[in-house]
Amino acid sequence: MAKTRSFSIYLLKEGYSAANALREDHALNEGVDALRLPDGASLFVFDGEPRPPWWRSYFGIQIDLTQASKGALVFLPVGDRCFAVCFGHIAHNLLDASYEYDFGIRVTLNSLDPRKLKSTDTLDPGAAKRRRTQLPIESELTVFDFDRDSTILRSLTGKVRDEYKDLFRHATGSSSLRISSDVAADGLVELCEKLLGLYQSEEYKAAFPEIQNIVPVRDPAQIEALNARLLGAFRARDPELNITVPEIINYSDNVYVGFSGAGGSLVYDDVYIGRYYEYLDQHQIDLAHIGIDDLRRHTLLLTDEEGDARERYSLFKSLVFDTILEGAQGETFHLSEGDWYRIDDGYIARLVAYLDPLCMDSDLPPYDHLNEGDYNAVVAAGDVAIVCLDKGNIGPEGQTAVEPCDLLAIRGGFAVFYHIKVSTLSAQLSHLFNQGVNAIELIRLDPQAVDRLDASFERALPSKTPPPS
């Protein structure tokens, strides 16, 4: 019985091949002899130098210990397309723009038995929130609590249908397709031909209807216009533009951040676009001269505490942004992980119909301040009926602080609680809503919380002339 081996397979976009799909700074060796390489294939090998692990010197270990990273990348022409087959941690040498981002997920959707799923990775684009759900038994997608209305399915793992078991039995699909197969080297071309057919099929729509209310933008002219909108927001330092790490990361490790592309970087302890602006300002980079290619070339680095890079991501791929286009029928577009998505009109209409009746115009002045704290202080100072309770606490002593609100107004004999957030990202809005609900519930259920609220209100009153009645 042939031995089963693991393969990680990417489909390159049209026009990409071994000649132009690699980063300029890749450290791969070409021209290595290989006796069973398929006809027309190109082989690149990474042969890392052995080096001692950091913990050898840390503990003063007195034996010779070394470790080395190895990998290979095979470019495999199939018809008028080209596949990249990766072995080891080598795929980061591919250009972000060189491969089809949805190849693995589409092949997986078309080949898996919808009743035998094992794991999902999902992305909420608005919050850039990632979640991995794994079940101990094979199940249908609905069991994974997958929200078709607002979630992008990033990765899916499960058993394939009977008709594809001669190709592979299990598959995990994201940008790449990860499979285990007993295929020999001379059968790789035939395997990739069948994978290409699965990628081009729309059979998955029967097994997974309405899998996405969010679809990728493919029109080059529309992408160019969206990128122009992005650059405008970037150069204006638009607060609606955000940055995030475009992968699930392990926060139990110490995570530090740096940047590259314009020179050396300080090491920061948070992922925030303001840090990138600081980095560019430090190197006297004029934002007006930054283009999309620069954002693709610049990188967000995840480092250790000493600044040594562990992972690197294109800055462009790390940006999160929402916008609309004139002439696009009011459609909303979202940038996530370097790709633009159009939000389904029906989905937006359902959101509007549900949310609009719950909203009303605010009677607070417009925001034009340094930060939320500055806004709260200025608004309270300018209105005798409003006090600032920002950073106050009505929570029980010794427990987690509960802020009553940012601003409290007395209007017509009623107390009006204002919670302020300068953002429309869903993650921050969810935090805002939870903050308001928690404060009101505590006030309703705990008489001592009311006493603490009264005390906070009284402390804020001396700045008021006359005090609110």
Side-chain angles (χ1 to χ4, degrees):
M1 183 175 180
K3 184 176 181 179
T4 299
R5 295 178 170 84
S6 297
F7 296 84
S8 180
I9 304 173
Y10 290 79
L11 174 62
L12 301 188
K13 293 180 179 178
E14 294 182 5
Y16 282 92
S17 65
N20 58 359
L22 290 173
R23 294 179 179 271
E24 291 184 2
D25 59 349
H26 75 81
L28 307 179
N29 299 321
E30 187 180 8
V32 177
D33 291 336
L35 298 179
R36 288 186 289 276
L37 197 66
D39 292 341
S42 301
L43 171 67
F44 293 79
V45 172
F46 178 72
D47 187 16
E49 291 291 333
R51 55 190 300 182
W54 68 268
W55 41 265
R56 180 176 180 269
S57 60
Y58 183 81
F59 291 110
I61 297 174
Q62 297 302 301
I63 63 173
D64 187 22
L65 289 174
T66 60
Q67 59 186 9
S69 177
K70 309 291 183 180
L73 184 57
V74 176
F75 290 97
L76 197 64
V78 175
D80 59 353
R81 301 298 294 268
C82 186
F83 286 81
V85 186
C86 302
F87 305 90
H89 298 287
I90 202 79
H92 64 274
N93 289 282
L94 292 171
L95 292 171
D96 289 335
S98 68
Y99 53 86
E100 302 283 4
Y101 82 97
D102 61 344
F103 166 69
I105 190 68
R106 284 197 59 162
V107 171
T108 304
L109 288 171
N110 278 318
S111 61
L112 290 189
D113 186 327
R115 300 162 300 176
K116 297 183 178 181
L117 308 182
K118 293 286 290 183
S119 175
T120 62
D121 283 3
T122 58
L123 167 69
D124 175 355
K129 180 175 70 177
R130 294 163 178 79
R131 182 173 68 174
R132 175 167 294 168
T133 305
Q134 297 173 334
L135 295 180
I137 59 175
E138 297 158 354
S139 305
E140 297 181 356
L141 188 59
T142 52
V143 181
F144 288 83
D145 193 26
F146 177 71
D147 183 358
R148 290 177 169 85
D149 285 339
S150 61
T151 304
I152 293 174
L153 186 64
R154 292 285 325 283
S155 177
L156 188 63
T157 300
K159 285 186 177 180
V160 302
R161 298 199 293 268
D162 289 342
E163 58 264 40
Y164 299 117
K165 286 184 177 179
D166 61 328
L167 297 177
F168 44 88
R169 291 185 174 271
H170 296 82
T172 296
S174 54
S175 293
S176 66
L177 177 69
R178 296 186 296 278
I179 61 173
S180 293
S181 175
D182 59 3
V183 64
D186 59 5
L188 281 175
V189 171
E190 182 180 358
L191 171 64
C192 289
E193 287 175 345
K194 294 178 179 179
L195 296 179
L196 183 58
L198 283 170
Y199 174 65
Q200 294 169 340
S201 170
E202 295 189 349
E203 186 178 350
Y204 71 93
K205 292 183 178 180
F208 301 97
E210 298 182 359
I211 192 65
Q212 287 183 338
N213 282 314
I214 305 168
V215 297
V217 177
R218 296 183 179 277
D219 183 352
Q222 201 167 60
I223 291 174
E224 183 178 358
L226 290 167
N227 286 343
R229 298 279 294 188
L230 172 69
L231 281 178
F234 174 77
R235 292 165 179 169
R237 304 189 188 226
D238 189 332
E240 295 301 315
L241 181 62
N242 291 274
I243 195 171
T244 184
V245 179
E247 293 288 350
I248 294 176
I249 60 176
N250 186 2
Y251 282 102
S252 63
D253 296 336
N254 290 328
V255 177
Y256 297 87
V257 175
F259 302 94
S260 68
S265 172
L266 298 175
V267 176
Y268 305 100
D269 60 1
D270 59 348
V271 182
Y272 169 53
I273 195 169
R275 302 302 191 191
Y276 180 54
Y277 287 133
E278 291 177 18
Y279 168 71
L280 296 177
D281 292 342
Q282 173 192 355
H283 292 283
Q284 300 181 337
I285 303 298
D286 185 352
L287 298 188
H289 296 156
I290 292 287
I292 294 297
D293 287 342
D294 296 303
L295 295 176
R296 294 188 190 278
R297 181 173 54 83
H298 289 192
T299 55
L300 169 69
L301 305 174
L302 293 188
T303 76
D304 58 22
E305 59 270 26
E306 296 179 355
D308 293 329
R310 300 188 309 200
E311 301 288 346
R312 52 183 280 176
Y313 306 96
S314 163
L315 204 290
F316 182 79
K317 194 173 182 179
S318 306
L319 293 172
V320 179
F321 185 56
D322 290 329
T323 190
I324 60 174
L325 286 180
E326 294 182 6
Q329 301 176 350
E331 296 167 342
T332 299
F333 295 86
H334 180 78
L335 177 68
S336 180
E337 300 197 5
D339 290 301
W340 285 101
Y341 297 89
R342 179 181 61 79
I343 313 301
D344 181 74
D345 292 341
Y347 174 52
I348 295 293
R350 292 195 299 273
L351 286 179
V352 170
Y354 178 77
L355 293 174
D356 275 9
L358 305 177
C359 300
M360 60 184 294
D361 291 336
S362 171
D363 55 2
L364 294 178
Y367 177 89
D368 186 19
H369 301 74
L370 294 175
N371 50 55
E372 293 171 18
D374 182 57
Y375 175 80
N376 294 332
V378 170
V379 170
D383 190 328
V384 295
I386 298 178
V387 296
C388 179
L389 299 183
D390 187 15
K391 297 181 173 40
N393 179 24
I394 60 171
E397 185 175 352
Q399 298 189 26
T400 303
V402 177
E403 185 180 87
C405 58
D406 292 301
L407 299 171
L408 177 62
I410 304 299
R411 303 191 189 281
F414 291 93
V416 181
F417 294 79
Y418 294 95
H419 295 267
I420 309 299
K421 181 62 66 178
V422 186
S423 175
T424 57
L425 285 179
S426 62
Q428 297 183 10
L429 289 178
S430 295
H431 171 75
L432 180 71
F433 299 150
N434 286 332
Q435 183 184 51
V437 169
N438 291 339
I440 291 299
E441 286 186 345
L442 185 61
I443 290 170
R444 292 176 60 189
L445 299 174
D446 184 0
Q448 293 183 359
V450 178
D451 295 338
R452 286 186 285 269
L453 175 61
D454 287 341
S456 297
F457 185 79
E458 292 295 331
R459 285 194 297 270
L461 278 180
S463 63
K464 298 296 173 184
T465 307
S469 58

